[in-house]
Amino acid sequence: MPISILKPRFAATLALCIAASLSAQQPKSSRWPAVQAQMDASSARFQSAQADLRQEIFTKIPVQDTETRTGQIYFERKGSVTQMGMKLLPPEAKPGTPPLQIVEFKGGKLRSYDAGSNQIDSFPAAGKNQSTAEALMTLGFGGSGTGLAKSFAVTDQGQEQIDGVSVEKLDLVPRDQGIKNNFSHVTIWIDASRDVLLKQIFYLASGGTTTGDTRTVYFTNIRLNQKFDEGLFAIVCKGKCTTVNH
């Protein structure tokens, strides 16, 4: 598959994995160095995080529509490598309901399972995909401020309150063209003291041009550095499924 096709699909898939009042105490432009340092310190202590999530996908054309899904996500650092897993459930899912989609990033590979097609799409996070993978993983939990600044042009838009938590609102423009082809920019609301996200918005693009579509994710019930069952995020096919290597 041509890399011009592979890389945007890789970026869009991984980005799946991975919402006050504005503080006037400091000018926005002066806040980022301190926030970056705080994220670096918190990242050094990070071991793992789990969270519930709500994802809202807004489509502008042809008819304005918002699709909502819920699910869970985890990030875990093993040595110098961070792996993640995410599962998305149908609306109003009951306990035990099979997920609609499972995404995992581990062992140098991104795999995405879709229950509707009963297919696994597998992407190597190496070669041309490596910089894209590294950039997108800085948007997850436990990413360092230094890594974020390396992968994105950061604009600090000040502090806000979400669910009683003081968070930093950062707008990020990708430096990686593979990401920029899919997302013109990303806005995140991060609790830098814990290095966890409470909200993120991806502004979708096509060939680098903004489409007006957005993907908004809210993170709640965050459990930091606690033991968990990684098997809950394992890809389990319905019968025999198809694997497509990209």
Side-chain angles (χ1 to χ4, degrees):
M1 178 178 292
I3 198 67
S4 60
I5 297 175
L6 185 153
K7 195 170 184 181
R9 288 188 62 189
F10 177 87
T13 303
L14 184 53
L16 279 170
C17 305
I18 285 175
S21 60
L22 184 66
S23 171
Q25 294 179 357
Q26 302 180 50
K28 297 177 188 178
S29 60
S30 71
R31 294 190 57 82
W32 171 237
V35 173
Q36 178 179 338
Q38 190 173 31
M39 288 180 63
D40 285 346
S42 300
S43 177
R45 299 189 298 269
F46 180 86
Q47 298 174 25
S48 67
Q50 310 159 67
D52 298 333
L53 66 86
R54 185 175 85 254
Q55 177 178 263
E56 297 176 354
I57 301 176
F58 172 74
T59 305
K60 185 177 181 179
I61 297 174
V63 179
Q64 293 190 9
D65 179 67
T66 300
E67 178 187 2
T68 300
R69 290 182 178 179
T70 59
Q72 292 85 41
I73 193 168
Y74 85 88
F75 290 83
E76 183 179 23
R77 182 170 296 156
K78 294 192 173 183
S80 60
V81 178
T82 298
Q83 66 182 40
M84 61 80 65
M86 180 185 71
K87 56 183 179 181
L88 293 175
L89 305 170
E92 301 178 359
K94 297 180 180 179
T97 301
L100 292 173
Q101 184 177 18
I102 302 175
V103 178
E104 70 171 22
F105 181 68
K106 60 191 299 186
K109 186 178 294 185
L110 170 70
R111 298 201 305 159
S112 177
Y113 169 69
D114 180 78
S117 62
N118 203 33
Q119 177 174 303
I120 298 173
D121 288 283
S122 180
F123 304 84
K128 295 290 186 179
N129 287 331
Q130 185 170 355
S131 62
T132 301
E134 291 173 352
L136 287 171
M137 288 303 287
T138 66
L139 293 174
F141 293 19
S144 71
T146 298
L148 193 68
K150 179 181 178 181
S151 299
F152 297 87
V154 181
T155 300
D156 193 318
Q157 298 185 338
Q159 288 183 312
E160 295 188 1
Q161 294 285 322
I162 296 182
D163 297 331
V165 178
S166 181
V167 295
E168 203 74 20
K169 182 181 179 182
L170 305 176
D171 192 69
L172 314 171
V173 176
R175 303 188 192 277
D176 180 274
Q177 191 60 47
I179 300 175
K180 203 169 186 177
N181 286 338
N182 289 273
F183 309 106
S184 60
H185 65 118
V186 185
T187 304
I188 65 173
W189 286 255
I190 186 166
D191 177 355
S193 65
R194 295 185 295 163
D195 206 15
V196 298
L197 299 180
L198 274 71
K199 179 183 176 182
Q200 61 184 190
I201 303 178
F202 291 86
Y203 296 86
L204 276 66
S206 178
T209 302
T210 302
T211 63
D213 299 345
T214 59
R215 180 181 294 128
T216 303
V217 187
Y218 301 88
F219 301 97
T220 57
N221 190 25
I222 298 171
R223 289 90 73 195
L224 195 62
N225 298 335
Q226 296 182 15
K227 291 183 179 181
F228 67 98
D229 184 0
E230 187 180 317
L232 296 175
F233 296 86
I235 293 177
V236 179
C237 296
K238 296 181 298 184
K240 185 177 180 180
C241 62
T242 302
T243 298
V244 178
N245 294 308
H246 298 273

